[in-house]
Amino acid sequence: MDTIGFEHHDHDACIDDGTAAVAAYCARNGLQFTRQRRRVLEILLEEHRALGAYEILDRLREEGLGSQPPVAYRALDFLTRHGFAHKIERLNAFIACTHMGENHAPAFLICRACSAVAETYADPSEGVLGRAAREAGFRIERAVIEAEGLCPNCRKERAG
Amino acid sequence: MDTIGFEHHDHDACIDDGTAAVAAYCARNGLQFTRQRRRVLEILLEEHRALGAYEILDRLREEGLGSQPPVAYRALDFLTRHGFAHKIERLNAFIACTHMGENHAPAFLICRACSAVAETYADPSEGVLGRAAREAGFRIERAVIEAEGLCPNCRKERAG
DNA sequence: CTTGATATGTTATAGTATTACATTTATCAA
DNA sequence: TTGATAAATGTAATACTATAACATATCAAG
């Protein structure tokens, strides 16, 4: 699995593919991929950074789709519930999933300089955390794993 | 390093030792361990679960120490800035550090049933996450690592 | 076509956190 | 000891994040 978000890539395809994958999944599974849900996903897919619910709501409002908080939160709830988007707890913000379809235990790399967020993978039951949990008798069901630091682009800019 | 929080232990000592350790550290480093800061730390130390800022503020209010949000947030800011307490991002809540003095990369095990929180250790630069970060050219400076699941006590209760 | 489930519109409110500024207290050098 | 500076506190106001509640509309299955 690749870490997606920092390197150059075909961003239009990124949006189109993401939307298409979700549309297909919804069709297969009898989920309603409504206008609002689709639009919120597109808004998230447009950026590789996390957007606050109210930022998203502003966009929806401009476009004449809903103007009240629940509109944004409901769409985000749908998207996160099905793994099409993720909440970044550290930022109280949301980002489109970049590993659609893969059954994932997502982890995030957050650049403190440019706010880019890349999604990667980190199984919580592996490594030190998994060992500590087993030793304590704790059963991990999910995990928030969000690393903060400098992305490769911002490191270069600082001659680091 | 032990994972502290689920198993039985001498909780009074837990509070006394924690407060003493912080007091000593502050004395050594010219930090002001004021009444409010001490009291907030004590409040946190009384429980091995995360408390919201307003829960803490309620306690302070009852005791006649401050009643406005900044009172709680300032004390929490001091405590977290110096590693005496940690914020649990998933819960928007705070918990006293149980590994005072140890230079740590804290990770947390959060029980979804009883809300107990145990602090453990997980170096973010190790394991899959560290490898993914290195491959992406990302430099990790800190990480939020919060596992959710069932603590040993709650697992037993559910005959799991 | 109707019934039950799902989604949307909207108002109100709850919960979390910060800004701003006045005042007080602590620290330290003269 | 005093005066200057920095740090901490008191307090009001406000910003940001999220959910509850309920009416209406739309969809999906029989």
Side-chain angles (χ1 to χ4, degrees), chain A residues 4-118:
Chain A
I4 299 173
F6 299 137
E7 71 291 348
H8 289 131
H9 59 282
D10 182 346
H11 193 49
D12 287 343
C14 194
I15 298 173
D16 293 347
D17 295 354
T19 314
V22 170
Y25 181 95
C26 288
R28 274 200 309 282
N29 294 89
L31 302 174
Q32 300 184 46
F33 194 38
T34 63
R35 208 157 61 116
Q36 289 175 340
R37 290 170 177 178
R38 170 185 290 270
R39 191 62 196 116
V40 170
L41 178 65
E42 287 167 357
I43 290 168
L44 290 176
L45 280 167
E46 280 165 18
E47 325 211 14
H48 287 294
R49 69 180 183 92
L51 295 177
Y54 282 75
E55 262 181 289
I56 293 166
L57 183 57
D58 287 343
R59 306 269 230 108
L60 293 177
R61 187 179 293 120
E62 286 167 15
E63 299 172 15
L65 308 161
S67 64
Q68 299 305 318
V71 173
Y73 281 103
R74 282 170 184 156
L76 289 168
D77 179 63
F78 172 84
L79 295 173
T80 53
R81 202 147 28 82
H82 296 288
F84 306 143
H86 302 292
K87 180 172 187 183
I88 307 295
E89 298 291 345
R90 186 69 219 296
L91 305 176
N92 293 320
F94 301 84
I95 191 160
C97 178
T98 49
H99 294 110
M100 295 293 185
E102 307 176 43
N103 234 9
H104 51 280
F108 303 93
L109 305 175
I110 306 169
C111 180
R112 67 166 159 80
C114 70
S115 297
V117 176

Side-chain angles (χ1 to χ4, degrees), chain B residues 22 25-26 29-33 37 74-86 97 99-104:
Chain B
V22 170
Y25 181 95
C26 288
N29 294 88
L31 301 174
Q32 298 184 48
F33 194 39
R37 291 169 177 178
R74 282 169 184 156
L76 289 167
D77 179 63
F78 172 84
L79 295 173
T80 52
R81 201 148 28 83
H82 296 288
F84 307 143
H86 304 292
C97 178
H99 293 109
M100 296 292 187
E102 307 174 43
N103 234 10
H104 50 281

Side-chain angles (χ1 to χ4, degrees), chain B residues 9-58:
Chain B
H9 60 282
D10 182 345
H11 193 50
D12 287 343
C14 193
I15 298 173
D16 294 346
D17 295 354
T19 314
V22 170
Y25 181 95
C26 288
R28 275 200 308 281
N29 294 88
L31 301 174
Q32 298 184 48
F33 194 39
T34 63
R35 209 157 58 116
Q36 288 175 340
R37 291 169 177 178
R38 171 185 290 269
R39 192 61 196 116
V40 169
L41 178 65
E42 286 167 358
I43 290 168
L44 291 176
L45 280 167
E46 279 165 19
E47 326 211 14
H48 288 293
R49 70 179 182 93
L51 295 177
Y54 282 74
E55 262 182 290
I56 292 166
L57 183 56
D58 287 344

